[in-house]
């Protein structure tokens, strides 16, 4: 107490420098509303199973001028998801093979540009500036994030440019005052598909409630890692299963009980922890083939949501235990008008929750030139957090890296003020 040494004084928030979030050059007059030849990853034909040979890098991807209802985005980041590898095996049923239905099966175009989610800068809009019939707040130079239509041949995000329907594009906020957290385009690219799936599963399908319990299988992947954080943030007791190498990571995300699926009976451990009552919810992120066995960890009348395919029961357990089953696949939301209309509000909500620090995105960056290798990793399920493609524009690489580091430093500094 008698020391003459002064205590350390925290810097004022006002002393922080607000980073520039946009590229230094956003003048697109030479390319605006004209066809573009650019580079990206393409799948030429449907294959029976995933292989790195299913996709190829091309320097001759043709991107037409955007149609009246579209914007063309210059990509700076794109999230990688398991469905990106699976999409190369999606075969459209022959018209005569489809049974009569009010809900016909979707058709999947080949060849197509790969990638389902991304972020970047609007380079062109398809409408005239004086078109009063286009009730749209988007304009050239806006930072945006979006979910691509998985059924189409154009619009994929593993490409330098993509045309996308303006109605589903989410504008990223531009912070003008020091003191508010920022969202970089790399983090934003991880939101529409992975974080979007977690959000729909928890709040729309399972309808989680504070004070209840949830088991998240595959808790450290792109979807699972966000789901663990959101469930923890909203006051649930979280049980998580993952590999032994990711146990500490799952705890850092907020899981209360973490189980190594390779070294013990996951269901038995959960029932022991809950005194044989079981958990209220199950989110199956690892594999649909595990859904039935994992459902034994649910209480009577509990709810399960599967994001990796159909639960195919081998017995009457689901019926006997009166379990509610739900599914989420954001990739096909484009096909249903009511669901499609929710894509922009969904992304907007995710951006706001991210800025409120309800969850973080742990990103591992992958250069555009190595997407094929990254797809193989994610197809095997050997991934922690989120893989995001960067390095779309070689001449801007140094500037992009510097800007990203400034945003990281700024957000980190905010936590200590």
């Amino acid at each position: 107490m008698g020391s003459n040494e002064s205590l350390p004084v925290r810097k004022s928030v006002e002393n922080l420098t607000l980073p520039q979030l946009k590229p230094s050059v956003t003048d697109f007059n030479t390319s605006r509303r004209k066809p573009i030849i650019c580079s990206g990853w393409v799948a030429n034909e449907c294959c029976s199973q995933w292989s790195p040979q299913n996709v190829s890098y091309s320097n001759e991807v043709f991107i037409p001028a955007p149609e009246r209802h579209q914007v063309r985005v210059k990509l700076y980041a794109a999230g990688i998801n398991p469905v990106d590898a699976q999409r190369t095996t999606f075969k459209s049923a022959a018209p005569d093979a489809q049974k009569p239905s009010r809900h016909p099966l979707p058709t999947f175009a080949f060849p197509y540009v790969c990638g389902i989610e991304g972020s970047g800068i609007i380079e062109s809009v398809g409408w005239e500036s004086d078109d009063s019939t286009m009730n749209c707040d988007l304009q050239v130079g806006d930072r945006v994030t979006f979910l691509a239509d998985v059924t189409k041949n154009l619009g994929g995000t593993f490409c330098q440019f993509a045309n996308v329907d303006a109605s589903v594009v989410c504008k990223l906020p531009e912070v003008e005052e020091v003191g508010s957290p920022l969202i970089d385009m790399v983090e934003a690219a991880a939101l529409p598909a992975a974080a979007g799936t977690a959000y729909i599963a928890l709040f729309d399908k399972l309808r989680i409630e504070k004070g209840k319990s949830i088991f998240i299988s595959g808790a450290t992947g792109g979807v699972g890692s966000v789901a663990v954080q959101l469930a923890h943030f909203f006051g649930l007791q979280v049980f998580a299963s993952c590999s032994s190498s990711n146990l500490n990571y799952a705890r850092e995300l907020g899981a209360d009980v973490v189980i190594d699926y390779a070294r013990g009976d996951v269901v038995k451990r959960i029932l022991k922890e809950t005194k044989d009552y079981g958990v209220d919810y199950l989110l199956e992120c690892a594999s649909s083939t595990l859904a039935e066995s994992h459902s034994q960890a649910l209480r009577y009348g509990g709810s399960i949501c599967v994001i990796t395919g159909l639960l195919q029961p081998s017995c009457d357990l689901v019926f006997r235990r009166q379990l509610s089953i739900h599914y989420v696949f954001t990739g096909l939301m484009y096909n249903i008008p009511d669901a499609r209309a929710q894509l922009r509000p969904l992304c907007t909500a995710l951006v706001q929750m991210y800025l409120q620090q309800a969850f973080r995105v742990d990103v591992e960056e992958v250069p555009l030139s190595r997407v094929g290798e990254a797809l193989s990793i994610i197809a095997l399920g050997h991934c922690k957090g989120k893989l995001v493609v960067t390095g779309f524009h070689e001449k801007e690489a140094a500037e992009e890296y510097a800007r990203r580091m400034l945003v990281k430093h700024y957000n980190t500094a905010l936590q200590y003020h």
Side-chain angles (χ1 to χ4, degrees):
M1 293 293 293
S3 172
N4 293 325
E5 294 181 2
S6 60
L7 296 173
V9 179
R10 290 183 175 180
K11 294 181 180 179
S12 169
V13 171
E14 286 76 14
N15 291 335
L16 292 176
T17 301
L18 196 63
Q20 173 59 252
L21 296 175
K22 294 182 179 180
S24 59
V25 178
T26 55
D27 182 2
F28 303 117
N29 286 326
T30 58
S31 62
R32 188 179 302 176
R33 300 181 71 179
K34 298 175 183 178
I36 288 178
I37 302 294
C38 62
S39 300
W41 286 83
V42 177
N44 288 308
E45 59 185 7
C46 181
C47 301
S48 59
Q49 61 184 9
W50 165 252
S51 165
Q53 284 70 47
N54 292 8
V55 296
S56 59
Y57 187 72
S58 172
N59 293 314
E60 299 181 351
V61 179
F62 176 80
I63 307 295
E67 298 180 11
R68 180 179 172 275
H69 63 283
Q70 293 180 321
V71 298
R72 187 163 63 198
V73 178
K74 182 178 181 181
L75 273 298
Y76 282 91
I80 303 180
N81 299 277
V83 70
D84 292 314
Q86 298 161 6
R87 169 65 176 87
T88 65
T89 68
F90 287 178
K91 184 177 181 181
S92 301
D96 56 357
Q98 295 192 29
K99 296 180 180 179
S101 170
R102 292 181 61 238
H103 308 293
L105 295 173
T107 57
F108 298 96
F110 283 93
Y112 72 93
V113 179
C114 307
I116 193 175
E117 64 180 346
S119 64
I121 302 289
I122 293 181
E123 175 265 351
S124 294
V125 299
W127 58 89
E128 299 291 345
S129 58
D130 59 353
D131 188 345
S132 59
T133 63
M134 278 298 295
N135 184 21
C136 185
D137 62 345
L138 300 174
Q139 59 185 358
V140 172
D142 284 343
R143 295 191 315 141
V144 296
T145 188
F146 64 94
L147 186 75
D149 188 344
V150 72
T151 66
K152 303 299 184 185
N153 55 0
L154 290 177
T157 57
F158 300 161
C159 189
Q160 291 175 312
F161 292 85
N163 288 345
V164 58
D165 193 310
S167 67
V168 305
V169 173
C170 170
K171 186 192 297 188
L172 297 175
E174 305 297 339
V175 180
E176 298 180 356
E177 294 183 0
V178 173
S180 299
L182 306 175
I183 184 166
D184 184 81
M185 285 189 284
V186 175
E187 277 74 30
L191 300 186
T197 297
Y199 182 98
I200 294 171
L202 295 177
F203 302 112
D204 183 50
K205 302 297 184 176
L206 296 175
R207 309 236 172 159
I208 60 172
E209 297 178 12
K210 182 179 179 179
K212 295 199 173 182
S213 56
I214 186 170
F215 167 34
I216 300 174
S217 166
T220 55
V223 177
S225 60
V226 175
V228 169
Q229 294 175 81
L230 289 177
H232 173 76
F233 185 83
F234 283 93
L236 280 78
Q237 182 184 23
V238 181
F239 295 81
S241 66
C242 60
S243 64
S244 56
S245 62
N246 289 330
L247 295 176
N248 288 333
Y249 177 56
R251 294 187 186 98
E252 292 172 6
L253 294 172
D256 298 288
V257 179
V258 181
I259 307 166
D260 183 349
Y261 63 76
R263 294 190 175 183
D265 188 323
V266 175
V267 171
K268 184 177 180 180
R269 172 73 183 281
I270 293 173
L271 292 177
K272 180 180 178 181
E273 293 284 343
T274 60
K275 296 180 171 56
D276 286 328
Y277 180 77
V279 293
D280 298 290
Y281 317 105
L282 163 62
L283 176 55
E284 183 56 66
C285 301
S287 172
S288 59
T289 61
L290 298 172
E292 184 177 32
S293 62
H294 283 167
S295 68
Q296 296 178 78
L298 282 167
R299 65 166 173 82
Y300 179 87
S303 299
I304 176 173
C305 185
V306 187
I307 67 168
T308 54
L310 289 175
L311 186 157
Q312 299 180 341
S314 61
C315 64
D316 65 350
L317 174 69
V318 172
F319 177 78
R320 234 181 330 111
R321 298 285 294 171
Q322 302 290 290
L323 305 180
S324 300
I325 306 175
H326 307 273
Y327 297 96
V328 179
F329 180 35
T330 54
L332 290 180
M333 290 178 70
Y334 267 86
N335 296 65
I336 311 299
D338 287 346
R340 180 192 183 105
Q342 296 304 312
L343 287 174
R344 179 189 278 197
L346 171 64
C347 287
T348 300
L350 290 167
V351 169
Q352 291 304 314
M353 293 176 77
Y354 176 85
L355 293 176
Q356 292 166 5
Q357 300 180 329
F359 68 95
R360 70 176 193 263
V361 180
D362 295 311
V363 168
E364 181 178 346
E365 295 183 42
V366 177
L368 182 62
S369 60
R370 300 185 64 181
V371 163
E373 298 171 50
L375 285 173
S376 291
I377 293 172
I378 206 164
L380 293 172
H382 298 161
C383 182
K384 182 175 79 173
K386 184 71 177 181
L387 297 180
V388 175
V389 185
T390 56
F392 283 76
H393 309 281
E394 186 175 350
K395 293 181 179 179
E396 301 177 52
E399 180 187 325
E400 278 299 294
Y401 178 78
R403 180 165 58 251
R404 177 150 169 70
M405 291 302 102
L406 286 173
V407 171
K408 275 187 173 182
H409 172 74
Y410 173 88
N411 283 337
T412 300
L414 275 184
Q415 298 176 12
Y416 295 96
H417 287 80

